[in-house]
Amino acid sequence: MEQEKNPIAITLREVNKWYGEFHVLKNLNLDVSRGERIVICGPSGSGKSTMIRCINRLEEHQKGQIIVDGIELNNDIKNIDQIRREVGMVFQHFNLFPHLTVLENCCLAPMWVRKIPRKEAEATAMEYLERVKIPHQAKKFPGQLSGGQQQRVAIARSLCMKPRIMLFDEPTSALDPEMIKEVLDTMIELAESGMTMLCVTHEMGFAKTVADRVIFMDGGEIIEMNPPDEFFNHPQHERTQLFLSQIL
Ligand code: ADP
Ligand code: MG
């Protein structure tokens, strides 16, 4: 396949976005290689969510280029559909359908978007529920699960679409402390499997363990981007130093 040869999974070139008058993303430049794990951190309101939401077109940028898996994001609806299929996203608030069982949550998109027959969709779902270590909860409803379990279902649900890229937006921020580790462990396993990942998180332990590069954003800009060693031990910018001193 042509795309298989493309070593770059995501390119952002001079990306700019405004919410009305407010300049929320400023000249973002980034190349993410296939299989690369990137952690994005930065103060609240710095544009982290907006940036990753632009990558699967939940938000639109106004200037510059975003290319995902060789496809440029523009107004072509066909492109957007294709991107959504290849890019999985996990949010802070799991966003599971409360009236559907765990298994049904996992089968919905594969059946309706990818047109996979139910039996096959269920088999795939069980495979991923096993991978996130909750196959025995398949028949339960989300409300019957703990926050950590729900987030692992959300990860499994995304994986059922066989995405090539996974985006995470503060996946552990809404969790009680004792549940954070089980979700991070799932993410670490996913990282080890070679998935291309962009994770907005303030879990710096996770960043140190799995990130190939860490990005610091502030005021809508990428202020600093370095491998974790360099990033944590020798932060270049004052703003990065200040941020790290506050969270570490
Ligand atoms: P972060 O994820 O880093 O906390 P966001 O990307 O959510 O930051 O938000 C960046 C800035 O854009 C914030 O100042 C926020 O208030 C603003 N913002 C976010 N979404 C919208 C929106 N839909 N309309 C207007 N402003 C928004
Ligand atoms: Mg955010």
Side-chain angles (χ1 to χ4, degrees):
M1 230 171 28
E2 189 57 38
Q3 286 167 2
E4 220 62 68
K5 290 182 205 147
N6 188 351
I8 302 296
I10 302 167
T11 297
L12 272 60
R13 205 168 283 146
E14 295 293 313
V15 170
N16 283 271
K17 174 174 177 60
W18 289 263
Y19 286 122
E21 299 274 284
F22 178 60
H23 198 177
V24 59
L25 299 179
K26 300 172 184 161
N27 293 324
L28 302 184
N29 286 294
L30 173 67
D31 278 311
V32 182
S33 302
R34 207 164 282 297
E36 198 176 13
R37 284 81 45 116
I38 301 223
V39 163
I40 302 157
C41 61
S44 174
S46 57
K48 306 179 299 294
S49 295
T50 304
M51 175 169 101
I52 65 164
R53 290 168 65 86
C54 280
I55 294 172
N56 67 350
R57 200 64 173 190
L58 290 174
E59 296 285 353
E60 244 179 76
H61 62 289
Q62 279 86 41
K63 221 175 116 208
Q65 275 185 310
I66 300 179
I67 302 166
V68 180
D69 230 354
I71 303 164
E72 176 162 6
L73 292 186
N74 47 34
N75 289 324
D76 192 336
I77 280 284
K78 267 203 321 226
N79 286 0
I80 297 170
D81 277 351
Q82 197 172 342
I83 292 301
R84 295 262 170 85
R85 263 179 252 182
E86 295 185 14
V87 181
M89 177 136 177
V90 174
F91 303 86
Q92 182 176 350
H93 301 285
F94 337 124
N95 298 2
L96 297 170
F97 296 109
H99 59 293
L100 298 179
T101 65
V102 163
L103 187 63
E104 287 163 347
N105 262 283
C106 291
C107 292
L108 201 63
M111 285 170 57
W112 294 103
V113 180
R114 282 216 192 261
K115 313 286 180 209
I116 310 265
R118 176 180 294 274
K119 270 228 143 64
E120 194 182 325
E122 285 184 353
T124 304
M126 287 311 296
E127 219 174 275
Y128 284 109
L129 287 171
E130 255 158 57
R131 231 168 104 178
V132 303
K133 305 192 170 62
I134 23 179
H136 40 286
Q137 313 282 20
K139 294 281 158 60
K140 290 195 181 163
F141 289 91
Q144 297 173 289
L145 271 55
S146 73
Q149 289 173 326
Q150 289 188 55
Q151 192 59 298
R152 284 184 285 144
V153 171
I155 295 171
R157 180 178 62 171
S158 274
L159 294 175
C160 285
M161 287 292 278
K162 309 260 168 95
R164 298 161 69 89
I165 295 166
M166 284 286 287
L167 309 175
F168 292 86
D169 193 359
E170 303 205 30
T172 60
S173 303
L175 298 177
D176 292 332
E178 71 271 20
M179 290 167 192
I180 292 177
K181 185 176 177 296
E182 66 190 51
V183 171
L184 291 178
D185 284 347
T186 303
M187 291 169 65
I188 291 169
E189 266 182 42
L190 189 60
E192 285 167 351
S193 78
M195 178 67 79
T196 306
M197 292 166 69
L198 260 76
C199 312
V200 176
T201 180
H202 292 153
E203 293 294 333
M204 292 299 130
F206 174 80
K208 287 175 187 165
T209 317
V210 308
D212 297 300
R213 285 186 290 169
V214 184
I215 289 176
F216 174 70
M217 283 182 81
D218 196 11
E221 294 176 276
I222 293 180
I223 303 291
E224 191 154 341
M225 171 158 61
N226 264 318
D229 254 5
E230 185 69 17
F231 185 87
F232 291 109
N233 298 326
H234 308 286
Q236 300 296 305
H237 292 259
E238 219 173 291
R239 281 191 273 180
T240 318
Q241 291 161 8
L242 179 67
F243 177 76
L244 289 176
S245 73
Q246 285 163 345
I247 64 161
L248 287 181

